[in-house]
Amino acid sequence: MPGPEKTPDFPNAEATPRSRWRLQVVWLVPVLAVLIGGWLAVKAVIEKGPTITISFLTADGLEAGKTKVKFKNVDIGLVKTITLTPDHERVIATADINKNATNMLVDTTRFWVVRPRISGGTVSGIGTLLSGSYIEMDVGKTKAERREFVGLETPPAIANDVPGREFILKSTNMGSLDVGTPVYFRRLQVGQISGYKLDPDGHGVTLRVFINAPYDKFVLTDTRFWHASGVDVTVGSGGIQVNTQSLVSIMIGGVAFESLPNGFDDAVAATDSTYTLFPDRADAMKAHYHVVVKYVADFTESVRGLTVGAPVDFRGIVVGEVTAIYTRFDPKTQKFTIPVEIDLYPELFTSRYEAGAISAPGGRVSNDPHALADRLVARGLRLQLKTGNLLTGQLYLAADFFPDAPKATVNWASSPPELPTVPGNLQRLQDNITQLVAKLNTIPFDAIGKNARETLASAKTLLNDLDTMIVPQAQGTLAAAHAALDSANNALQPDSALQQNATDMIQELSRTATAFRTLADYLERHPEALIRGKQQETHP
């Protein structure tokens, strides 16, 4: 009988107490998540860029959380909030900027909202019609950092990194100019207007022009700027002149510059040099002389056609210009005159003119500044109105010598001094015609007509007497002459006796000529016949 089964031997279990600090595997994932989250948070804090505020007049085109800040079309930030200022006059856009753009936030950095714009003949911001507006940044060149900025309401015409230089122009008015208006050099666009403002006294405007490199080296010390807007039509003593820069300048205006062809100062101008903006090229390129002498010329004739700016011409050379025209009443003579003020440039009369070294009569040297003018006037120098253009009727002043002109002197007591004048050619012609008409009026045409009528009556009576006494005798003479002609005609008829006798005589003369010819032939053969006579011919 089998015995009872034996129980296998198992080791006895021993209870081991659980450690209080033992980490369970199930908690490993949350711990790692916390560590990664913390690392990301720390990294975000470390990599977070600066926060800036930009002030604008309006929030047009801006939207919190969507409007981006860009530099050269690269995203460098995002607008987070848009709030009003405490006085409700402006809006504050708060934007977070990337850390790698921190060094670009300096004092002269500029911000503006890019929207579709048309300015100065250029169209910008068209892409924002689809993508929406954004804030553009232009990096400044200073080093001082800044976090609060005032945004520009209009985009700057020139970015800070564009090579070139700015210059200042002074003008009496803006004309059709605007920011972005092109600047031309020899009809090539080389720059544009970057800004303008009204002068504090209100008498003019100040413009800033930016000339791109390398064209800025052509702006010299004696460079002249002028309005090139539209079509420049000038009507003067030289006729009609039309000048323009380009089709763009006709529509939107422009500024042009050029240096004087014979300028004395050809040094390159410094940045921010100030120039005058002239109304047109003719005025800009006009020579500006250091010595200007002002005179006045008094005319009694009409000056219609003479304008301010008309030239003063000396034998084809412009030596001055008209600066003012007005009227003056003389209470003594009870007559009106027309004074014309002019500016003369003594430098144009001679390139070797030296002030204070004018030769006086007798070889002396005169230091009197009036000596030259007195000598020229004494020799017959006068001012005269002349027609410069028959088509336009424009007049100019001609200075020339008139030896037969009445004696005159310079009136130095007048202010400005007064130069003598002579009537113009048209006025002299009118005066001559007036004198001729006056002389014709003194001729007694009535008495002359009466005497002529009496003379004609006497001639008629004489003709009647001649007809009574001479005509009958003349008729008899004519009858006798007619009879003589009839007799001559009868004598010349072919069957008349005279004609027959003339024919017989001609025949007889012919026979005589034949006999002489026969005799001559015989004598030529027998010249001895003149001595011996004619020999009898013998026949064999």
Side-chain angles (χ1 to χ4, degrees), residues 286-296 312 318-324 341-349 353 355 369-370 412 416-417 419:
K286 186 183 302 180
H288 294 265
Y289 300 98
H290 300 287
V291 181
V292 179
V293 181
K294 185 176 291 293
Y295 288 98
V296 65
V312 178
V318 177
V319 296
E321 67 174 339
V322 176
T323 58
E341 291 187 3
I342 61 174
D343 282 346
L344 289 182
Y345 314 124
E347 296 169 272
L348 293 177
F349 281 95
Y353 173 82
H370 301 163
W412 297 108
L419 291 175

Side-chain angles (χ1 to χ4, degrees), residues 7 57 156 163-164 183 191-192 199 234 236 285 365 399 447 450 474 482 514 524 529:
T7 302
L57 286 177
V183 178
Q192 56 186 316
D199 291 343
T234 304
M285 301 305 291
V365 176
K450 181 178 180 181
H482 186 68
T514 302
E524 183 177 0

Side-chain angles (χ1 to χ4, degrees), residues 154-272:
T154 58
I158 307 297
N160 288 327
D161 57 350
V162 176
R165 294 184 297 154
E166 276 191 328
F167 302 94
I168 300 173
L169 303 182
K170 294 289 187 178
S171 178
T172 56
N173 59 76
M174 280 290 294
S176 58
L177 305 180
D178 197 358
V179 174
T181 299
V183 178
Y184 298 94
F185 176 69
R186 302 190 184 279
R187 289 185 169 85
L188 175 67
Q189 183 175 349
V190 297
Q192 56 186 316
I193 294 178
S194 58
Y196 61 88
K197 65 177 181 179
L198 184 68
D199 291 343
D201 57 5
H203 293 164
V205 293
T206 300
L207 300 95
R208 299 189 68 88
V209 295
F210 184 86
I211 308 300
N212 300 321
Y215 308 109
D216 56 338
K217 66 181 180 181
F218 298 117
V219 181
L220 309 179
T221 304
D222 62 352
T223 293
R224 306 294 173 83
F225 290 81
W226 68 88
H227 280 274
S229 304
V231 179
D232 181 15
V233 180
T234 304
V235 180
S237 59
I240 300 176
Q241 298 179 354
V242 180
N243 187 27
T244 183
Q245 288 294 321
S246 66
L247 183 62
V248 175
S249 66
I250 294 177
M251 296 185 294
I252 66 173
V255 172
F257 70 91
E258 188 177 339
S259 297
L260 293 175
N262 298 320
F264 295 101
D265 194 347
D266 57 354
V268 177
T271 303
D272 291 335

